[in-house]
Amino acid sequence: MKRISVGRIVRRRWVLLVAVAVVAVTGFLVYRLHGIFASHSDTSMGTGVSDDIVQFNPKHVIYEVFGDPGAVATVNYQDVRAAPQRVDHVTLPWRYEIITTDPAVIANLVAQGNGNTLGCRITINDVVKDERVVNEVNAYTFCLDKSG
């Protein structure tokens, strides 16, 4: 009967044993690092908590165009998503209100009317940010606020 010696096996297969040990230790370390950095948690699964947006510090933005009584104007402005909008032949005074929780609002308003006086105003949270009044034939005016 031939005896199997552990020492003989280790001497013959030591490279294979070291490789298996390195792979095992590396796998364990990777598993532990995933746990430390929370990559095992699935953030896409619902937790039962409502994702309702709670308004904080909402901004109340008012666009106004005013002028001669009965005058008509074409108004271009940016809506709450900063998309350009156009309103034709509105009777003055004209007013548009936006309420948003965005951290910044770029308010832009352009108007041209058929009267001799035309003005615009941008108000954010009851503070007038820009106001212009023009006195000329077929008056054209604009208001802009980038700090809102």
Side-chain angles (χ1 to χ4, degrees):
M1 191 182 209
K2 202 173 183 187
R3 287 176 67 189
I4 299 177
S5 165
V6 174
R8 179 185 273 171
I9 293 173
V10 169
R11 273 185 272 147
R12 296 179 114 187
R13 306 279 186 213
W14 72 271
V15 174
L16 180 62
L17 292 173
V18 169
V20 168
V22 167
V23 168
V25 169
T26 304
F28 177 73
L29 290 175
V30 168
Y31 173 77
R32 293 296 294 159
L33 287 175
H34 279 272
I36 291 171
F37 294 111
S39 66
H40 289 302
S41 62
D42 187 4
T43 59
S44 64
M45 292 177 56
T47 60
V49 177
S50 176
D51 289 335
D52 291 338
I53 296 174
V54 178
Q55 286 193 354
F56 62 97
N57 195 21
K59 290 187 167 90
H60 189 232
V61 181
I62 301 173
Y63 292 146
E64 295 176 276
V65 178
F66 48 90
D68 294 333
V72 176
T74 297
V75 179
N76 293 283
Y77 63 94
Q78 286 183 334
D79 66 8
V80 71
R81 304 277 181 244
Q85 302 295 323
R86 179 178 172 153
V87 182
D88 291 320
H89 310 295
V90 295
T91 305
L92 299 181
W94 175 85
R95 180 181 172 110
Y96 178 73
E97 296 186 32
I98 302 169
I99 297 176
T100 182
T101 57
D102 292 343
V105 175
I106 298 176
N108 187 14
L109 173 64
V110 177
Q112 183 167 12
N114 64 356
N116 294 332
T117 300
L118 186 66
C120 65
R121 181 181 305 121
I122 296 174
T123 306
I124 299 177
N125 292 338
D126 299 323
V127 176
V128 175
K129 294 294 188 170
D130 194 13
E131 182 174 354
R132 296 182 199 280
V133 178
V134 176
N135 295 304
E136 58 186 53
V137 178
N138 293 328
Y140 170 87
T141 190
F142 71 95
C143 291
L144 174 66
D145 178 59
K146 296 188 282 186
S147 66

